[in-house]
Amino acid sequence: MTDYRRLRVALLGAGSVGSQVASLLRQHGDELADRAGATLELVGIAVRDVDAPRDVDLPRELLTTDAETLIVGADIVIELMGGIEPAREYLLQAINSGADVVTANKALLATHGPEIFDAADQVGAQVYYEAAAAGAIPIIRPLRDSLAGDRVQRIMGIVNGTTNYILDRMDKEGAEFGDVLADAQALGYAEADPTADIEGYDAAQKAAILASLAFHTAVPLDAVHREGITRIDASMMDAARKAGYVIKLLAVCERMVADGDETISVRVYPALVSREHPLASVHGANNAVFVEAEAAGPLMFYGAGAGGVQTASAVLGDVVSAARRHIAGGVGVGESTRANLPIVPIGHVTTRYQITLEVNDQPGVLATIAGILSDGNVSIATVEQTVIGDDIEGAGTARLVIGTHKAREQDLSDTVDTLAQSGVVEKVASVLRVEGD
Ligand code: NAP
């Protein structure tokens, strides 16, 4: 066996991901040493409770509740605790004591990324976070390294497995949101408190990370427009299917020109995606990130966006990279944020829309609606009308599904308000953006 230099690896957290990282590090230690050019010595694992049951058997003597002492003297610190504090404090301590750090903590990077990257820059350390945006799917390195010579135009990501699982089952079974959510919770696809997933918070954190890398611009979490999937119901799914679409929760990061200036938009919302689009074929809890780059064209990265052992794969890749860098020496490569593009609010974004209205089925109604849309700078691409019922007096209700050409979000939302108050519209059943064409 080659006599490699020993690198001290400290692991913070032994939950779903951390326990798998510890297990694989120990199981494949020799192989990883050959790849890294260094022996990766797991010197300890910080947890809250050393006696808590674990997914895998870990030597009792490695477990400690004293994370701070563990960090001192470590060459590589892997943070898999999650949350903001004390994870932030421990990462800063690790960086300042000369370690390279690996983390999968999207919540921390989306809120305190610049502080952590700056601290690493100051001392020449490197922060690795391949698992923070899409679990096992390699997307951080492709954006940071492989596409560094290209110009990314747009990213559309299905980056939350729970919501994709729910929407996929609603699409396939015609089921209602609440029923599928309850089932997903029973099966372990959704947390007891599903807010972070179904309200789009988790996807927004990932969108901030992806957009920062893609556009070389620090993207704060509060600049990400966020909507969840709780308003999606079986009738919207059904209408989408009949029109050749599927509804997906998308993280969209887009380079745009607004008032002659190059800008970016970062947003998370449920959107209609053509069934012909590669993202429509992402089923169950899988994730995919669809990247459109100026020279490379479209690229799609697909796979498991979560899961303990799957995510551990990405974390271990980072550990090997950190070890190689540590052996080679030199300063870390900082984050590229110098493009510093302005981030536009949602009102400036232009997309296509599908508006579903319930209207009085009377002569002249269509002309009135067309007039309101035209006055609001919203141009109609398609209209489909279905009679959905008569009341006792024989007055009918019709459902109008209006597809628009690209319109500015602010114009569209003002126009929908005008429609709602127009007297001819009984109900605005849904307004959905159309993405991916
Ligand atoms: P988890 O199962 O909740 O495990 C968290 C671990 O951290 C536990 O071992 C816990 O100790 C320990 N811990 C928490 N607070 C601590 C503290 N103050 N001091 C010491 N130890 C502490 O979390 P996870 O699912 O493995 O996720 C870890 C990270 O990976 C998160 O940032 C998450 O967002 C990210 N991630 C997870 C997945 C996934 O599929 N799970 C996918 C991608 C990214 P005890 O065991 O003693 O309670």
Side-chain angles (χ1 to χ4, degrees):
M1 208 179 98
T2 317
D3 194 15
Y4 293 119
R5 184 176 146 192
R6 300 184 88 73
L7 292 179
R8 295 165 60 84
V9 178
L11 176 60
L12 313 181
S16 308
V17 186
S19 60
Q20 298 295 338
V21 167
S23 169
L24 292 171
L25 255 179
R26 289 160 46 76
Q27 212 178 310
H28 302 310
D30 291 345
E31 237 179 286
L32 292 172
D34 286 338
R35 290 180 205 163
T39 299
L40 301 167
E41 185 189 358
L42 183 58
V43 292
I45 308 170
V47 292
R48 268 179 305 216
D49 175 3
V50 292
D51 296 316
R54 306 276 155 209
D55 293 347
V56 299
D57 284 336
L58 298 173
R60 180 71 164 67
E61 64 275 15
L62 282 182
L63 297 173
T64 174
T65 54
D66 185 359
E68 293 193 21
T69 304
L70 186 59
I71 290 167
V72 176
D75 297 298
I76 298 170
V77 173
I78 311 170
E79 184 277 305
L80 294 169
M81 300 186 325
I84 307 299
E85 296 291 359
R88 174 189 148 277
E89 195 191 313
Y90 290 159
L91 275 187
L92 291 174
Q93 189 196 330
I95 288 166
N96 289 322
S97 66
D100 282 328
V101 296
V102 175
T103 179
N105 194 332
K106 57 219 144 203
L108 179 61
L109 291 178
T111 50
H112 292 81
E115 182 189 10
I116 288 162
F117 297 134
D118 283 353
D121 270 355
Q122 299 278 324
V123 297
Q126 181 85 46
V127 182
Y128 297 88
Y129 53 99
E130 185 59 73
I137 303 172
I139 187 63
I140 302 297
R141 276 186 193 73
L143 288 174
R144 188 167 57 187
D145 299 330
S146 322
L147 290 166
D150 207 333
R151 297 185 91 238
V152 173
Q153 300 294 354
R154 187 155 61 150
I155 294 175
M156 289 195 296
I158 294 174
V159 289
N160 182 271
T162 303
T163 46
N164 201 58
Y165 174 84
I166 293 172
L167 293 172
D168 192 39
R169 280 198 49 192
M170 287 175 74
D171 178 50
K172 285 193 180 115
E173 299 166 20
E176 280 298 353
F177 172 78
D179 296 336
V180 181
L181 172 61
D183 217 22
Q185 285 172 310
L187 292 167
Y189 285 105
E191 307 265 345
D193 176 0
T195 312
D197 294 321
I198 63 176
E199 294 293 358
Y201 291 102
D202 173 79
Q205 291 167 353
K206 294 165 175 172
I209 294 171
L210 294 175
S212 298
L213 285 164
F215 304 125
H216 307 275
T217 293
V219 175
L221 188 56
D222 59 13
V224 181
H225 175 85
R226 176 197 54 78
E227 294 170 32
I229 63 164
T230 52
R231 69 189 163 95
I232 305 300
D233 63 21
S235 71
M236 288 160 86
M237 275 289 177
D238 187 49
R241 192 179 316 107
K242 285 178 180 146
Y245 294 112
V246 60
I247 300 175
K248 296 286 189 191
L249 182 72
L250 294 185
V252 183
C253 315
E254 193 170 29
R255 193 188 288 272
M256 310 176 356
V257 175
D259 301 326
D261 292 324
E262 188 156 77
T263 62
I264 58 173
S265 150
V266 190
R267 50 200 201 258
V268 168
Y269 46 52
L272 295 166
V273 175
S274 163
R275 286 189 181 265
E276 308 290 310
H277 194 282
L279 286 173
S281 62
V282 178
H283 298 294
N286 284 307
N287 281 197
V289 184
F290 189 81
V291 181
E292 293 166 57
E294 195 174 86
L299 305 162
M300 186 152 107
F301 303 82
Y302 169 87
V309 72
Q310 294 87 341
T311 305
S313 160
V315 172
L316 283 169
D318 279 351
V319 173
V320 169
S321 297
R324 287 175 181 156
R325 201 197 81 76
H326 228 81
I327 295 295
V331 294
V333 181
E335 293 300 291
S336 158
T337 55
R338 287 196 205 104
N340 205 14
L341 294 173
I343 307 162
V344 295
I346 188 75
H348 292 245
V349 170
T350 60
T351 51
R352 297 205 298 114
Y353 295 83
Q354 188 169 286
I355 309 166
T356 305
L357 305 172
E358 286 175 19
V359 300
N360 307 326
D361 190 14
Q362 286 166 359
V365 166
L366 202 51
T368 307
I369 289 171
I372 293 171
L373 287 164
S374 163
D375 290 348
N377 293 323
V378 179
S379 153
I380 299 176
T382 57
V383 181
E384 202 174 299
Q385 178 170 350
T386 333
V387 174
I388 56 172
D390 288 329
D391 62 22
I392 320 156
E393 281 91 38
T397 297
R399 176 173 293 131
L400 279 186
V401 180
I402 301 168
T404 76
H405 289 295
K406 277 197 168 184
R408 198 165 178 264
E409 173 94 13
Q410 191 61 57
D411 291 339
L412 191 285
S413 89
D414 291 347
T415 305
V416 170
D417 287 347
T418 312
L419 284 171
Q421 289 153 18
S422 67
V424 294
V425 172
E426 289 175 8
K427 184 175 156 196
V428 178
S430 71
V431 180
L432 283 167
R433 290 101 173 171
V434 182
E435 292 285 359
D437 54 8

